[in-house]
Amino acid sequence: MQNRDSYDYVLIGIVLRLLANVTAATQKSFVIEELQKLKFNLTIVGYDVCCSNLNTTFFMELESKLDDISDDDPIGEPVRRALETEMNILERHVLSEGITKKVHVIPERRFNSNFLLNQPEKLFKVGTFDKLSQLACFDITSSCKCILYGEGTAAAFHILRATEEVLKCYYFHHKKQKRLKKPMWGSMLKELSNKSKNKPPKTLLNSLDLIRESYRNPTQHPDAIYEIDAAQDLLGLCLDVIGKMAEEF
């Protein structure tokens, strides 16, 4: 799914009407600049039929007439009439193709929508996101997008996987020797809790165990479903513990 400003569509209509209503005294350079702007915007919004219309013989004849005019000279009445005709035809094509396009409006969430979609690192303290592994960053980013798109179960899966990945890095940070051959969430917490020196904060370990017991384990069940509010609750919990663990990296 592409992130696109809705103004791109508005601009197409503005430029179409502008070119259809220029006068014979309008400079050629202005017309060329607006035509280029129109072509660019039609391309980036994916209006393929309209783009192909710009390659027809009739439109190319118009461009040929424009080529014969100096940049600072007025386009004249014959070219103005031809331009008006082509823009009116193109406008009908834009309206027809517009019916085939669907615009999805993203609803407001508890978290900043721009952060969720484009800047998940802003949900942490400065520099925290850069400390995380590539897998953790991927899952956090995916979870944030799923929250925005209303995919609660997918969001829960990704943020729990990210939390377990950061916990594993946190475990390796604390345990330099005699590490578990197969580090699992529960066993890692047990070993961290049993440390006699440099023991992680009890509140952090308790929070991680709460997430494991109340969210992570039930989520493994194939029938588990998360509504978007529950997924946002979980995201907040996980972002908190991830940030606290990353402070020690």
Side-chain angles (χ1 to χ4, degrees):
M1 180 169 161
Q2 294 180 324
N3 182 22
R4 177 175 292 119
D5 195 327
S6 59
Y7 183 70
D8 293 335
Y9 299 96
V10 176
L11 187 59
I12 289 172
I14 292 174
V15 176
L16 271 171
R17 289 299 177 91
L18 176 63
L19 288 171
N21 290 280
V22 295
T23 67
T26 303
Q27 286 185 334
K28 170 203 169 177
S29 58
F30 176 82
V31 172
I32 293 297
E33 181 180 348
E34 294 304 311
L35 278 173
Q36 290 173 344
K37 188 185 301 181
L38 179 61
K39 290 179 180 180
F40 174 77
N41 280 279
L42 287 171
T43 300
I44 64 173
V45 300
Y47 275 35
D48 298 331
V49 176
C50 293
C51 288
S52 65
N53 183 79
L54 299 176
N55 294 319
T56 61
T57 302
F58 298 105
F59 200 87
M60 293 175 71
E61 287 178 358
L62 169 63
E63 291 187 313
S64 178
K65 292 177 182 178
L66 283 168
D67 286 340
D68 294 336
I69 303 172
S70 298
D71 287 345
D72 296 332
D73 288 345
I75 59 174
E77 184 58 23
V79 173
R80 185 207 67 78
R81 288 197 302 269
L83 183 61
E84 180 183 17
T85 299
E86 291 300 324
M87 290 303 103
N88 286 333
I89 293 172
L90 183 58
E91 183 177 37
R92 290 196 292 272
H93 290 167
V94 167
L95 292 173
S96 297
E97 193 163 5
I99 296 175
T100 69
K101 305 296 181 182
K102 303 298 180 184
V103 177
H104 298 273
V105 179
I106 296 174
E108 289 294 324
R109 301 298 184 199
R110 295 184 212 163
F111 301 89
N112 181 287
S113 295
N114 183 53
F115 293 172
L116 290 174
L117 185 62
N118 301 310
Q119 297 177 295
E121 67 275 8
K122 292 293 184 79
L123 297 171
F124 298 96
K125 291 170 63 174
V126 176
T128 297
F129 198 73
D130 294 333
K131 296 179 180 180
L132 306 179
S133 69
Q134 187 175 1
L135 177 60
C137 291
F138 168 81
D139 277 314
I140 291 169
T141 300
S142 297
S143 182
C144 288
K145 289 181 178 179
C146 288
I147 288 287
L148 201 58
Y149 301 150
E151 297 293 339
T153 304
F157 170 82
H158 281 294
I159 197 59
L160 286 169
R161 196 168 77 154
T163 305
E164 189 161 9
E165 166 66 12
V166 178
L167 173 57
K168 189 180 297 183
C169 295
Y170 188 70
Y171 169 77
F172 290 151
H173 175 75
H174 276 273
K175 288 283 291 186
K176 305 299 183 182
Q177 298 177 343
K178 298 181 180 180
R179 291 171 171 172
L180 292 165
K181 292 183 179 180
K182 191 175 182 180
M184 302 295 290
W185 195 312
S187 56
M188 287 189 290
L189 287 181
K190 185 176 181 180
E191 290 213 351
L192 289 172
S193 297
N194 291 335
K195 280 176 61 70
S196 57
K197 295 181 180 180
N198 299 321
K199 184 177 178 178
K202 184 178 180 180
T203 53
L204 173 58
L205 296 178
N206 287 343
S207 296
L208 285 164
D209 199 39
L210 172 66
I211 293 171
R212 178 189 67 84
E213 185 175 346
S214 301
Y215 294 97
R216 191 263 191 183
N217 290 348
T219 302
Q220 305 303 309
H221 197 280
D223 293 334
I225 295 176
Y226 279 81
E227 298 296 335
I228 195 63
D229 283 327
Q232 289 184 99
D233 290 339
L234 177 59
L235 180 66
L237 284 171
C238 291
L239 292 178
D240 179 58
V241 297
I242 288 172
K244 288 176 178 176
M245 287 189 286
E247 286 181 358
E248 297 187 36
F249 293 167

